[in-house]
Amino acid sequence: MTSSTALRELAVFDGSGIDGGLYRRVVGWADAAPHWFNQLVEVWSLLGLGVFALLMLAAWWRARGAGPVVMARVLASPPAVLVAYAVNSGFKGLVEEVRPCAQLRVHGTLEACPGPGDWSFPSNHTVIAVAAAAALWFADRRIGAIAAVAAVLMGASRVWVGVHYPHDVLAGALVGLLVAVPLALAAGAAGPLVERARTGPLGPLLGAGPQTAAAWANRPVGVRRD
């Protein structure tokens, strides 16, 4: 082993002392769980992030008939997720925490243990899910509540399949909230821009909104729709 390799190994972070015991317990529960249940968790852990994209699409559709602030916050939700992901990736590179399945030499996890250099802290899946849920909450409470439940399930699934410590998930949730909430609140200031854009070529995408719709409904009889 070269000196540079030794220094590299010393540089990585071992998170097992935080909640390694809880991680082993959860993985043990997964090992004893019914096969059909584990399959559902695996599929959710692998593909569940797509649900948040669908929820954003649903929020956009509902916002077409809402006020401009609502639409502005819906439109800001994907960028908020991207910013949260970028911030989290920076944390991963700084901390360089070894995956629990590798650090604790746990074999037979539901998801294959990621290779060296694929760091564990914080959980990217959780950051994306929580950031999406937080952004959607300020735009549409009903969809935001659904997204919040889905985010909790996503974070839990990442521990269940064996690729994250619980503290990775909690830290990921914190990063998602700290990034997405201020961005979602600030996005409301773009409401006037959305209102103006609704009268232009982007109108079909941005919707009429309640004010424009009300004005149209109260137009003088005989005024053409076009």
Side-chain angles (χ1 to χ4, degrees):
M1 179 183 296
T2 64
S3 58
S4 61
T5 303
L7 289 173
R8 180 66 176 173
E9 290 187 356
L10 289 174
V12 298
F13 178 67
D14 174 10
S16 61
I18 301 175
D19 50 13
L22 178 58
Y23 166 82
R24 285 185 179 277
R25 186 179 305 173
V26 173
V27 171
W29 292 339
D31 187 56
H35 178 66
W36 63 265
F37 179 78
N38 283 338
Q39 282 190 314
L40 287 177
V41 176
E42 283 185 85
V43 170
W44 172 251
S45 182
L46 180 64
L47 304 176
L49 291 181
V51 171
F52 295 92
L54 294 176
L55 290 174
M56 289 182 185
L57 186 62
W60 161 77
W61 184 260
R62 284 165 57 89
R64 291 168 69 251
V69 171
V70 173
M71 178 59 79
R73 286 176 173 167
V74 169
L75 295 177
S77 57
V81 171
L82 291 177
V83 172
Y85 176 80
V87 171
N88 195 65
S89 296
F91 282 138
K92 275 182 175 286
L94 288 174
V95 178
E96 296 187 344
E97 179 189 69
V98 179
R99 295 278 180 170
C101 42
Q103 185 69 52
L104 299 175
R105 294 178 172 81
V106 176
H107 302 290
T109 52
L110 295 181
E111 185 174 315
C113 194
D118 190 339
W119 309 116
S120 188
F121 178 90
S123 164
N124 272 335
H125 280 68
T126 306
V127 166
I128 293 171
V130 172
L136 288 172
W137 174 261
F138 289 98
D140 188 312
R141 292 297 171 86
R142 181 177 299 178
I143 292 179
I146 296 172
V149 173
V152 171
L153 294 176
M154 177 56 69
S157 75
R158 300 305 288 164
V159 182
W160 191 268
V161 300
V163 295
H164 279 292
Y165 291 108
H167 71 260
D168 297 336
V169 170
L170 293 176
L174 183 60
V175 171
L177 288 172
L178 290 178
V179 173
V181 170
L183 291 178
L185 292 174
L193 295 177
V194 172
E195 186 65 26
R196 287 196 294 271
R198 280 175 163 173
T199 62
L202 295 178
L205 292 177
L206 300 178
Q211 295 178 355
T212 305
W216 187 258
N218 294 326
R219 72 192 186 283
V221 178
V223 174
R224 295 179 58 184
R225 284 183 170 271
D226 56 356

